[in-house]
Amino acid sequence: DVQLQASGGGLVQAGGSLRLSCAASGFTFDDYAIGWFRQAPGKNGKGVACIVNRDGSTSYADSVKGRFTISSDSAKNTVYLQMNSLKPEDTAVYYCAAEKFPTVFTSAQCIGVVKGSDYWGQGTLVTVSS
């Protein structure tokens, strides 16, 4: 069974950093893309960042470009989201999701493809205080 375990959330002051982890199991890691999504209170969920594991290509939402970095470690079947220069508006529950990623697609389609996945982690809360 596909399983995703998200961790690393917490409370941090504005300007601080956190690193989220998404430990994956139950599938061939390099055949999948993994994305991070977030849902703030009272708002719809949004894609944050995504990585195509077979080649490490990435994509980001405009709101996090230059501040967040997604990476993967295939030896550990884990994807990370390094979040720097955090802002209060980054406060949300962060989820990771995984989807098999066809070779015809590029990282530009990553968030859109993964968003439709049935495989989601349980979410980890990030709270950024001002």
Side-chain angles (χ1 to χ4, degrees), residues 27-35 50-59 97-115 117 119:
F27 58 91
T28 302
F29 193 73
D30 284 353
D31 288 345
Y32 278 65
I34 295 180
C50 196
I51 187 164
V52 180
N53 288 332
R54 65 170 179 264
D55 62 12
S57 58
T58 60
S59 60
E99 184 62 34
K100 196 165 186 180
F101 200 74
T103 56
V104 296
F105 289 162
T106 69
S107 59
Q109 289 90 32
C110 191
I111 288 176
V113 170
V114 178
K115 182 172 64 174
S117 174
Y119 307 120

Side-chain angles (χ1 to χ4, degrees), residues 1-93:
D1 291 349
V2 173
Q3 293 190 358
L4 300 167
Q5 182 74 33
S7 62
L11 173 64
V12 64
Q13 288 188 332
S17 298
L18 280 174
R19 188 177 79 157
L20 305 183
S21 299
C22 178
S25 62
F27 58 91
T28 302
F29 193 73
D30 284 353
D31 288 345
Y32 278 65
I34 295 180
W36 285 98
F37 299 79
R38 67 187 182 187
Q39 185 164 21
K43 296 187 178 181
N44 293 329
K46 293 186 178 181
V48 174
C50 196
I51 187 164
V52 180
N53 288 332
R54 65 170 179 264
D55 62 12
S57 58
T58 60
S59 60
Y60 297 90
D62 288 343
S63 59
V64 306
K65 281 181 182 176
R67 300 189 298 123
F68 290 12
T69 301
I70 189 170
S71 62
S72 67
D73 184 338
S74 59
K76 296 181 178 180
N77 281 8
T78 299
V79 168
Y80 304 99
L81 185 68
Q82 178 66 44
M83 305 185 295
N84 298 330
S85 303
L86 282 161
K87 304 176 181 180
E89 52 263 43
D90 294 318
T91 295
V93 178

